[in-house]
Amino acid sequence: MAELGRWTRAMGTGLGTDTSWRAVVPPVHLSTNYVFDSPDSPGRYDYSRAGNPTRDLLAEALAELEGGATAVPVATGLAAVTLLVEAVVPVGGVVVCQHDCYGGTWRLLDHYTRNGRLSARFVDVNDADAFTDALEGASLVLVETPSNPLLRITDIRATAAAAHAVGALVAVDNTFCSPLLQRPLELGADLVLHSTTKFINGHSDVVGGVLIAREEDRGERLAWLANALGLTSSAFDAYLTLRGLRTLDARIRMHALGTEAVVEAALGHPAVAALHWPGLPTHPGHDLAARQQSGFGSLVSIDLSGGRPAVDRFLDGLPVFHLAESLGGVESLVCHPATMTHAGMSPEARATAGITDGLVRLSVGLESAEDLAAIIREALDRAEAPGRRLPSASPQ
């Protein structure tokens, strides 16, 4: 029999392994504690914060998908960032992070900086001179590619080489691509993190994160520290995330169809000042994304030429696209980064990152591609014409 591929192995993790009742889907183990053979003889599991059979299945699947040695599922995406910092950056150390990162990451690293835990240097990693200058004394380089929300693309291989040359580790936030569209460890990264809330779970009903290590010894350190800090995910969250993961490949392919239709609807519209999607040949990172990704993702950001008033018109009466934070679910979402996902950044930091008051970010879901395209065309028509409200393309 031919060797099974990575996706087939990962999505089948735990299926058909139940030895009690021969259930196809592995049961969720909700017990917080486990019986010892004697006071000094625990079994494989003793307390669920330290280890849990359901969480271990999720870890196995995610490590398989990313090509890592170990994966540590934690409570949230920001818990993964916290674990990363605590495991890698010494007190007083330096973290280099791109200037247009997720607002929650910026807020956390800014908090650490203001309290003297570390020094965060936010820099345009695609500016070779600025990035090289920022590397001095760095312990960690944290990369988001594509970035949130402007979808800038960073060369992972080149960034890793530069960071390793000065002794820094490289971690890549792979949330926007998922392991099916990008595998940073194969491109030289040391660690990969995800908000599993997003594409990996894919159903907007569980919050979680994961940190994946290329090397076994570093992964063991992460697992120990996650237990010590109390960051590990619950069994039920792990169960839901593993359930969502099994449909990731099908969802990613459906997301792509809707995204292409939405981009085509927005391209060239007079209400659009800038359209950000790496699949466009005009995107500055298009060629790089084509090399290091196996798809362009389903996040699209539109900078409206009319600023915040145009955003309000765009959203007025908008059906199907729910105004909400998060992304990567089966449902389509729209958000206004300046007041929502990136509100935790200072106005100066948002300006430096290029996050304007006219920017909206779309997470394209699994609804009909034709409906989504029609909805976006009508919303852009409203954004262009003050006082014009068109009938909805479909009910809310």
Side-chain angles (χ1 to χ4, degrees), residues 65 79 106 186 190 195 226 249 262 286 288 301 308 324 371 389:
L65 279 179
W106 186 94
E186 295 177 359
D190 303 289
S195 169
D249 182 53
V262 164
H286 173 75
L288 176 57
S301 289
R308 176 60 188 272
D371 287 343
R389 178 165 177 167

Side-chain angles (χ1 to χ4, degrees), residues 14 21 50 59 84 88 92 103 118 130 154-155 165 174 193 206 209 220 290 295 359:
W21 303 106
L84 171 68
V88 170
L118 53 78
T154 298
D155 188 328
N174 200 24
L193 65 91
V206 62
E220 292 175 355
L359 188 72

Side-chain angles (χ1 to χ4, degrees), residues 241-308:
T241 304
L242 184 58
R243 175 221 56 185
L245 176 70
R246 300 194 197 282
T247 63
L248 177 61
D249 182 53
R251 287 186 283 109
I252 289 290
R253 284 183 275 124
M254 285 294 293
H255 282 302
L257 295 177
T259 303
E260 290 168 6
V262 164
V263 169
E264 184 176 354
L267 195 60
H269 194 286
V272 176
L275 182 60
H276 305 278
W277 184 59
L280 289 170
T282 54
H283 187 287
H286 173 75
D287 291 342
L288 176 57
R291 292 197 303 273
Q292 74 180 17
Q293 299 172 201
S294 53
F296 297 111
S298 55
L299 276 296
V300 179
S301 289
I302 302 174
D303 213 335
L304 297 172
S305 55
R308 176 60 188 272

